[in-house]
Amino acid sequence: MMKKLIISFLSALTIIMLYVPLSTVQAETAFNVEAESAIIVDGNTGKILFEKNSDIKLPPASMTKMMTEYLVLEAIAEGKITWETPTKISDYPYSISADSSSSGIGLTQNKDYTVRELFEAMAIYSDNGTTIALAELIADSESEFVKMMNEKGEEMGLPEFKFVNSTGLANKDLGDNYPEGTAPDDDNLLSARSSALLAYHLLKDYPEVLEFTSKTLGELDNRTLENWNWMLPWGEDDDRSIYGYEGVEGLKTGYTSAAGYCFTGTAKQGDQRIITVVMKTDSEPARFIETKKLMEFGFSQFEQTELFPAGYQLEENSEIPVSKGKEKSVDIATQAPLSTMIRTGEEELYSVEYKIDESKLDEDGNLVAPIEKGEKIGVAMLQYTGDSNLEYIQGNQETQTVDIVTTSAVEKDNWFMLSLKAIGGFFSSIFSSIADFFKGLFS
C-alpha cells in the first residue's frame, strides 16, 4: 500500500515531464539526459548510439545481478544444474532475506526451492537472499562465486568493473558475511559502458532471461512479487503505466544510497533492439523518465537498415583468378546481408571494403583449384564515411563484417590438361626470354 501511495505522489510531480515534446532531440549535440552517466547501444550489433560519461565507474546496486543471472543461466546451459534443482536456504541468505529494507522477501529454511523459483525472485523482485542462495548453489560459497563473476567480466571484456558480491549491496550491508577476499567497506563498481556490455552478452547468449525480466508480477511462498521496472506494461489503471514504453522487456533496476537510482533497460520494436543504461539519477521516477528519453532518441534517430544484400559484389572485385582449375576465375560475393542501426538518412555514407584471406592465394594471387561453392575466402567490411565517431560496445570490433564466399565450384583440371598448360607455360617462358634477348641487342 505504501509503495502505491509513493508512486501516486511521485507520478503527480512528474507526469507533466513525460508529455513534454522531445523537440530538442533533433541532433545528438542537442540531446542530454539527467544522469551522471548514460549510454544507448544497438542490441543487435553493439554499436554505441549515444553516450554521456559512460566510462565512469559507479556503484551499480542491483544491476550487479545481471552477472549473477548470466552465471546461473550458463550453469543451466552447461548441465551443471537444472531449473528444477532443489535448493535449501543457508543461514546467510536467510538472514539477508529477512531484511525487508533491502528487498528481502522472507525465505523459509528447511525447504527445497527450485532454481526457477529463486531466479524469478531475483530477476523480478531483485531479492538478495535468493541471489545469494543461487551463488552458493553454483560455487558452494559467495566468495567463490565472486571469483567467477570477475573472471567472466574479464572474459566478456568489460572495460571498467569490480564485483565484490553477488547482489549489488555494499559489503557493509552484509555484516560479517562479506565475501572472503573483499574488504568490509568494498562496493561493486561498473561503468555505464560495462553495464551495457554485460547486458549485451546476457541478451545475446541467454535471451530466455527476458521471460523473467518482462514479467510485472511473480509469486513465491504465496507472496506476490512486483517488478521494480515501472516501464513494463502495468495496465491503464496502474499509476506506473505513465512510465511505460513500447517494447520494454527488462532488464535490471538498482538502488543504494551510494549508487542512487540506476537502470539498465532494453526494448524491442520491430527488428530493432536497444539497450540503455542510466546511472545515478535523482529519484525512482527519474531513472525511467531519463531511460524513456534515451529509448525515444535511439528509435527515432536510428533505424535498422539492410545496407548491402546477401550476394553483393563489388564491381571492381567481383571475381578472383583460379590456377589449376577447369575455369580461369570464380565469382565471389557476400554470404549474408550487411545490416546495422544507422542514423536516419545516412544510407549513402556507408560502403563495403573487401579483405581477402591471403593464405587462400598462391604467390600469383590466384585461388588454387579445387574450390568448393560457398568457400570462405575473406570478409567484407562495412565502412562509414560520416562525421559521427561510431564505436562498438565490444571495444575491439572496429566495424561489422560478413564472409565473402565463392558463388560456384571449380574442379581441378585433369593431369593431361595440367601437363599441357605446364608445357605451354614452359615454351612461353623460353619464347619470352629469347624475345627479350634480341630486344636487348637492338635497344
Side-chain angles (χ1 to χ4, degrees), residues 4-18 230 238-243 285:
K4 290 186 177 292
L5 287 173
I6 292 172
I7 293 170
S8 298
F9 175 71
L10 292 172
S11 299
L13 294 177
T14 59
I15 189 169
I16 296 175
M17 296 175 63
L18 285 171
W230 297 358
D238 194 293
D239 294 328
R240 288 165 288 195
S241 64
I242 63 169
Y243 302 97

Side-chain angles (χ1 to χ4, degrees), residues 356-378:
I356 305 300
D357 183 355
E358 294 185 1
S359 68
K360 296 278 187 179
L361 307 177
D362 65 16
E363 59 185 12
D364 296 318
N366 305 315
L367 289 173
V368 181
I371 300 166
E372 296 181 3
K373 181 180 180 180
E375 184 174 331
K376 179 182 175 181
I377 54 91

